Amino acid sequence: MASNGEPMAEDHPEPTAASAEASGEGRNAAKVAGLLRGFLAVQQRRAEAYSKLRRGFSEYMTNGGELAYQQLCGNITAEFNDCSKQVLEIISILSMPEFCRGDLADLLKGVQAHEKEKLHLTAKIQVLKKAGRPSERLVNHEHCRSHMAQHVCVHVKEITEAAGTEDAEADAEYDGALKEAIQGVQEAVTSINEHMEEVRYEIDALEAETVGSKWTEVQEAFPDTLSIK
């Protein structure tokens, strides 16, 4: 109570420039962490889309159904396009002066590049598997002819050493292309996972920064209460 009988106003310390700066940095850190978590959510959508594509392709190879498979591919393509659009939006925001996190934008660009390569090679693998090894492909007889009620097959050829070598070379080329595509997907997945680990590390660092800035605000607001004796 003051001498004039009026209640005394509580004395709250004015926020310092340091605390104001820390508060601003903390808010930005929280926003950036939110953007990166949004990116992780997009990557989860991509993983689920790949899972659907693998199941659909397996069913197609087992039971057929070209129309259903093509519809699935169309849906998956639309999903991947939407995912890429969302990631590009996040990259654009991270590059803005408000955040100035070109390092994180470049990190996500790297993921985008590897995701593009992974999708391209996944499609290539499926095309190759649909076609099958040259020596094991079913023969289409639509270009054959009939002669005196007998089927004259244009695919019949003399078994020679040269023909055998040709078939072996075709199979070897097919096997090499399939192996290269599979290895390319594995390398892309490894690179994506490494980038994802960096993103998670950044999220942890940003969230720690957010907590630290809030603690600084509390300490400056109640210096006497929180002082350690």
Side-chain angles (χ1 to χ4, degrees), residues 94-105:
L94 289 171
S95 303
M96 292 170 59
E98 179 184 354
F99 301 108
C100 200
R101 292 305 305 264
D103 57 329
L104 297 180

Side-chain angles (χ1 to χ4, degrees), residues 83-95:
C83 287
S84 292
K85 181 181 178 181
Q86 289 190 34
V87 173
L88 290 175
E89 289 175 354
I90 294 172
I91 290 172
S92 177
I93 295 172
L94 289 171
S95 303

Side-chain angles (χ1 to χ4, degrees), residues 164-223:
T165 301
E166 183 180 335
D167 288 344
E169 289 176 349
D171 281 351
E173 183 179 350
Y174 171 89
D175 292 341
L178 183 59
K179 181 179 179 181
E180 182 181 0
I182 291 173
Q183 184 176 349
V185 168
Q186 292 171 343
E187 290 174 355
V189 169
T190 298
S191 296
I192 289 168
N193 288 339
E194 289 174 352
H195 283 64
M196 295 284 284
E197 280 303 308
E198 290 186 53
V199 170
R200 294 188 182 96
Y201 173 82
E202 288 290 344
I203 290 174
D204 289 342
L206 288 163
E207 291 182 342
E209 183 180 334
T210 302
V211 171
S213 67
K214 289 182 178 178
W215 178 245
T216 299
E217 291 180 35
V218 172
Q219 284 181 310
E220 294 202 352
F222 305 97

Side-chain angles (χ1 to χ4, degrees), residues 62-74:
T62 302
N63 304 316
E66 183 69 29
L67 180 59
Y69 173 69
Q70 292 301 328
Q71 288 176 339
L72 171 66
C73 289

Side-chain angles (χ1 to χ4, degrees), residues 84-149:
S84 292
K85 181 181 178 181
Q86 289 190 34
V87 173
L88 290 175
E89 289 175 354
I90 294 172
I91 290 172
S92 177
I93 295 172
L94 289 171
S95 303
M96 292 170 59
E98 179 184 354
F99 301 108
C100 200
R101 292 305 305 264
D103 57 329
L104 297 180
D106 289 341
L107 184 61
L108 301 198
K109 286 177 185 177
V111 175
Q112 283 287 88
H114 291 303
E115 286 287 359
K116 183 178 180 180
E117 180 70 3
K118 178 185 174 184
L119 184 59
H120 167 72
L121 292 175
T122 299
K124 183 176 181 179
I125 290 169
Q126 293 193 355
V127 169
L128 288 169
K129 288 186 174 181
K130 280 179 66 178
R133 299 180 84 227
S135 64
E136 299 171 0
R137 292 172 187 170
L138 295 176
V139 173
N140 187 336
H141 295 282
E142 67 174 296
H143 297 298
C144 299
R145 59 188 177 86
S146 297
H147 178 68
M148 298 181 66

